[in-house]
Every structure is written in structure tokens, then in C-alpha cells.
Amino acid sequence: MSQKNSSENVMNIKTGLAEMLKGGVIMDVVTAEQAKIAENAGAVAVMALERVPSDIRKAGGVARMSPPELIEEIMSVSSIPVMAKCRIGHFAEAQILEAIGVDYIDESEVLTPADEEYHINKHNFKIPFVCGAKNLGEALRRIGEGAALMRTKGEPGTGNIVEAVRHMRRINAEIRNIVNMDEAELMGAAKDIGAPFELLKVVRAEGKLPVPNFAAGGIATPADAAICMQLGAETVFVGSGIFKSDNPDKFAKAIVKATAHFNDPAIVLEASKELGGVAMRGTEISEIEESMKMANRGW
Amino acid sequence: MNNKLHIGVLALQGAVQPHKAHIEAAGAGFCAVKTLSDFKKIDAFILPGGESTTMLKLIDRFDLWDILAEQFKKKPVWGICAGAILMAKEVLNPTQKSFGLLPVTIERNAYGRQLESHIATIKGYDVSFIRAPIITNTNNVSIVAEHKGNPVWVEQGQYMATTFHPELTFNTPSPMHQHFINKVKNFKIS
């Protein structure tokens, strides 16, 4: 079943779609109406969910894949790609999402993991996968399993950017370290960080991950989007930040604007003045119980 | 004297960087362009692949519509996938605004969703079709290549469109980049 390109000379078609999403904002939506607001604001894709991460935190219990009818309804009103989440390791949920025909599957720590030992063998699917990572070893393990796109884990549903920044910086620093290594040191690094050796060779040669890297987890303002993009994220996922703000439409538009011109403080300033309300209330990471930290799910 | 051509890839959103290696391999300079001052420095535009809805919103939000329309009158333009949609005279599924540079009708996501994305060989070169549109009707344009019975590479005057992505192929330059850059050269001379 694994999807091979007809040519080794062409980027994998799964990563190809991620290339199309670069420089944009992917927004979590829980209704068809929100999906239209997101698309109209200029989102490059939407993540169809039953609840945004901050509500998943509040609700507690087991968080599963969203109901198929909800995902289908959101797909029916969207002209942009639609993503949906399955639980870590839950390949049967992923099979359902593939049967629905979503454009991307997020094997996500936001949901309650279904398997604490193994992630999904993503090579078995025709639909591309995005996965979260806190560091380079984790990113390369997921890519080794077939992820076509990576994102930082951050700490979802908090409106607190600190973890996404930490993950972005850590991966950047680890890549710089690998690039500077003598080739003979590479196998030792592969052992230390638990990364596939062949993928580390690619990182050393190219100075970047073998697939695009987006930022996610705690992005709540235009400035949050801009810091992630300046740290090297190629697109941002905004979860609770938009529809938990005072004015989702204006918030969504402002974050899109700031992301497109993340290097121009004058435009990020303009976007910051166009919010029409206050950002979602943030949560201090140390106030979250260890067992409720989503970034610790998966390995 | 520097007569190197500068090809500007509209960088509001989408697959911008993959063009760099192709443009440079074809002997021209790559620029990612977002503002009028950027546009003034380039000889031709590439409207890249990405999400056409997003690009339209950003063009409007940054008040670039009239500026770009004016620029496009004076320079060669190549639209790829989402970019081809922006260049068409008529857009379907859903209907949306476009610059109307090429007299074609184009239907968005016409092969289907990501599951129908595929690789195909066009003029001997492997390219990607990603949630690609289909050109369903043409009027007086030259059809350079067809795929599954529909035009996928068309041109007229200084304008060219492909519904597929040659920029995601690693052999540089792609014949499509080479062809476009030759077109820009000829346009400068005439």
C-alpha cells in the first residue's frame, strides 16, 4: 500500500502539499461556520475538530478523533485543504480519516494517545501525515515512520508561546550541531538522540529537516505568529487562539496578515492594532499538572 | 553592465523557495517579491502554487490588486496551479475573482482532493499535480501540453500557465522554467 513516487527525482507528493501551505496560517475550527470564517480570513487550511485544545483540557476524559459527520460537513464547505486529527498510534482512526478523504492527518498529542509505545506506520497511508516534535530526534523518528510534515508540539490550548519557542529553538540548535559534526561523529549522534542515521545524513548535508517544519501550540497573537516564523517556522497552526478570542474574524485576519509579512514590524504592528478585542486568556505552563501536559505525549 | 534577468516569485503565500534552484540553473536571478518596490525591480512574475483563496485575500488586504494588474500588463507572467487560477478569465468551483490574463476557464480541485494528487510525465519531465485545477475551456491560447485529455500547459503572448508543479522536481532547470525564461528574454528584446 505504500505510496511511492514514480520518480526519485520528484519531491514526495505528500510533502508537496505541505510546500503549498507555506507562509500561511492553519486554523482549528469546530463548525462549518467557523471553517467559512477561517477561509474568508485567508487560512491556507483548516483543522476540523470537535473541540479546540483549550476546551479539550477543560472537558478532561478521553479525547478521540472527531465525529466523521462533522469532518465531512467542514469539508463540504471548504475550498482549502481540510486536516483532521487522530490519536497517537491509532491507525484505525487514521484509516477512517483516509476513507473520508481528508487532505492531511495530524497524529496529535492533543488527543489522548491510543498507544504509548508505537506511533502509526505512516508509510502505509496515501494521505499525508503531520506530527509534532519537541526536538530533532523526535522529528526524525516521525519522519522515519513516514510523516510528510513536522510541527512543534508547543503546549496546545494554553495561549502560551513559551513551549513552541523552546521546541523551535531546540530543533534549530540541534540541526546546527549536526551540520558542524565530523561525519564519523554522526552515528554517535544517531545513537544519542535516537534518530535514524540515514535521515541525520540528510540533515547534515542540507542543514534543515528533510520535510517542512511548521509551528504549533500556544500561538495566540500576531506577534506570536511572527516570532515563530522568524525562528524558522514555515507556517503556523493556530488552535484555540482564534475562536477563543473576543473577535475571531478580526483575530484570524490579523494573524494571517502578520504571518505573510512576519519580517516587517510595521505590518505586524498594524495587524496587532486590528484585533478588535483581547487575546484568549493564557495559562502559565507551571500551573498545568504534569499529567495534563500534552507535549509529553508521544516520544 | 548587468543584463541578467530577474524573475520575481510572488511571495504572499505558497511554494516560493523551490523555484530558486530552477531559475538560477536557467541563468536568471531569483527574487521573492511582496511589495510594489520589489515588483519594480523584476523583469517577470511567477505566481506560485499555494492556496488561491488565501492569495486573493492577501492581494486585497494589502491593496495590491490594481498594482499587480498594472505590473502584469508590462511583464511576462507564469501562473502555477493556484497562480494559473489567478490568471484565468473564468474560475469555477467556487467562482472567484481573477486577473483574466489568459482566456481560459479553470475549475479548482478538479481531480479531487489530496488522494488524487499524482505525479505525471509532461514533455519528458516528471511533475506533480497537487489538488490541481483543470483547464476546462480555452479560447485562442496555444496548448503546449495535455494530460488526461485536458490542457495543462498553455500560453498566449507574454503569459503562460501550468496546472502542475515543475518546481518540486529536483533536476534543474525544468523545461518549463527554461521555456519561461526564454520567453522573458524574447519579451525584453521585442
Side-chain angles (χ1 to χ4, degrees):
Chain A
M1 276 240 317
S2 93
Q3 160 86 338
K4 284 259 163 58
N5 280 338
S6 58
S7 163
E8 291 298 310
N9 292 323
V10 187
M11 181 186 287
N12 187 306
I13 203 90
K14 296 172 170 179
T15 298
L17 178 56
E19 289 289 327
M20 300 309 134
L21 303 178
K22 282 188 175 176
V25 183
I26 299 169
M27 301 181 191
D28 278 4
V29 298
V30 300
T31 61
E33 187 197 357
Q34 288 187 356
K36 292 307 287 180
I37 292 173
E39 181 168 330
N40 185 46
V44 288
V46 293
M47 178 76 71
L49 280 171
E50 191 177 20
R51 284 193 283 262
V52 296
S54 62
D55 286 339
I56 290 176
R57 280 185 188 284
K58 270 188 223 144
V62 173
R64 311 182 180 94
M65 179 189 86
S66 300
E69 309 88 290
L70 174 69
I71 298 169
E72 283 171 348
E73 193 195 343
I74 287 170
M75 284 166 65
S76 72
V77 301
S78 302
S79 75
I80 54 179
V82 176
M83 303 183 170
K85 290 182 194 291
C86 71
R87 286 179 264 178
I88 289 175
H90 206 317
F91 53 85
E93 282 188 348
Q95 288 161 355
I96 293 172
L97 294 175
E98 178 159 88
I100 293 172
V102 300
D103 297 293
Y104 242 95
I105 297 174
D106 185 2
E107 186 183 17
S108 177
E109 67 281 2
V110 165
L111 305 181
T112 310
D115 190 328
E116 293 185 335
E117 284 183 71
Y118 303 107
H119 286 68
I120 296 172
N121 178 4
K122 294 165 273 287
H123 293 291
N124 281 346
F125 290 80
K126 228 189 142 188
I127 300 274
F129 277 76
V130 53
C131 289
K134 302 185 293 292
N135 54 52
L136 181 62
E138 189 174 15
L140 295 180
R141 288 191 291 278
R142 296 295 85 76
I143 296 166
E145 293 159 356
L149 166 64
M150 293 306 304
R151 55 171 174 75
T152 60
K153 283 182 161 174
E155 192 52 45
T158 59
N160 188 339
I161 196 66
V162 66
E163 295 300 312
V165 167
R166 189 193 317 280
H167 301 160
M168 208 68 221
R169 281 200 181 274
R170 184 180 297 153
I171 290 175
N172 289 345
E174 287 180 299
I175 290 174
R176 283 194 298 272
N177 186 29
I178 295 295
V179 169
N180 288 329
M181 273 185 184
D182 183 274
E183 204 173 342
E185 297 169 337
L186 217 51
M187 188 59 88
K191 174 173 172 267
D192 289 342
I193 67 173
F197 178 65
E198 293 301 322
L199 289 178
L200 266 189
K201 286 206 289 195
V202 176
V203 170
R204 182 170 177 274
E206 296 182 4
K208 61 184 190 62
L209 289 181
V211 303
N213 194 20
F214 294 179
I219 296 162
T221 66
D224 288 348
I227 188 177
C228 290
M229 295 294 285
Q230 288 185 45
L231 286 173
E234 295 166 297
T235 271
V236 295
F237 284 87
V238 185
S240 319
I242 289 170
F243 291 99
K244 288 293 169 190
S245 69
D246 276 2
N247 191 329
D249 178 51
K250 285 193 172 168
F251 248 76
K253 285 179 178 158
I255 290 182
V256 168
K257 185 170 181 172
T259 304
H261 282 276
F262 65 89
N263 261 333
D264 184 340
I267 294 180
V268 180
L269 165 65
E270 257 178 49
S272 305
K273 286 156 75 175
E274 290 167 3
L275 296 176
V278 298
M280 69 180 281
R281 187 186 176 281
T283 309
E284 168 59 39
I285 302 295
S286 62
E287 289 168 11
I288 305 170
E289 273 182 52
E290 216 44 43
S291 65
M292 287 302 290
K293 286 187 183 164
M294 292 171 174
N296 294 338
R297 296 167 167 178
W299 48 272
Chain B
M1 198 177 91
N2 182 5
N3 51 13
K4 187 173 173 180
L5 293 172
H6 291 91
I7 310 296
V9 183
L10 187 64
L12 294 173
Q13 188 274 317
V16 177
Q17 283 299 323
H19 286 286
K20 188 166 187 282
H22 289 279
I23 290 171
E24 289 175 354
F30 162 91
C31 320
V33 297
K34 289 185 186 182
T35 61
L36 177 59
S37 64
D38 299 336
F39 303 157
K40 285 180 176 165
K41 296 175 195 150
I42 57 168
D43 300 297
F45 282 88
I46 290 179
L47 307 182
E51 287 304 320
S52 65
T53 327
T54 307
M55 290 180 195
L56 278 176
K57 304 286 176 198
L58 290 171
I59 287 168
D60 274 345
R61 216 157 293 153
F62 294 119
D63 294 320
L64 292 176
W65 187 272
D66 293 341
I67 290 170
L68 283 171
E70 199 53 41
Q71 288 283 319
F72 295 161
K73 284 185 197 160
K74 299 182 281 199
K75 293 172 186 175
V77 184
W78 171 18
I80 298 169
C81 193
I85 295 167
L86 295 185
M87 290 180 79
K89 187 153 192 290
E90 184 185 24
V91 182
L92 306 175
N93 187 32
T95 55
Q96 63 188 36
K97 197 165 146 183
S98 53
F99 285 97
L101 305 178
L102 282 166
V104 301
T105 302
I106 196 161
E107 185 182 338
R108 293 184 57 193
N109 302 328
Y111 295 95
R113 310 186 72 96
Q114 173 65 8
L115 275 175
E116 312 313 319
S117 292
H118 58 281
I119 289 172
T121 306
I122 303 294
K123 297 265 175 187
Y125 189 79
D126 289 339
V127 297
S128 311
F129 286 82
I130 299 178
R131 284 174 48 97
I134 290 181
I135 296 171
T136 53
N137 199 15
T138 63
N139 177 21
N140 215 11
V141 298
S142 145
I143 297 172
V144 187
E146 291 191 342
H147 169 59
K148 297 187 176 180
N150 294 102
V152 292
W153 180 1
V154 298
E155 61 181 340
Q156 186 196 60
Q158 80 224 54
Y159 304 125
M160 165 170 140
T162 60
T163 59
F164 54 83
H165 299 273
E167 77 279 11
L168 302 181
T169 305
F170 304 126
N171 302 340
T172 60
S174 81
M176 295 82 195
H177 285 86
Q178 192 65 67
H179 181 88
F180 183 63
I181 285 163
N182 289 341
K183 200 176 172 73
V184 181
K185 274 183 200 153
N186 293 334
F187 182 79
K188 292 284 278 189
I189 294 163
S190 61

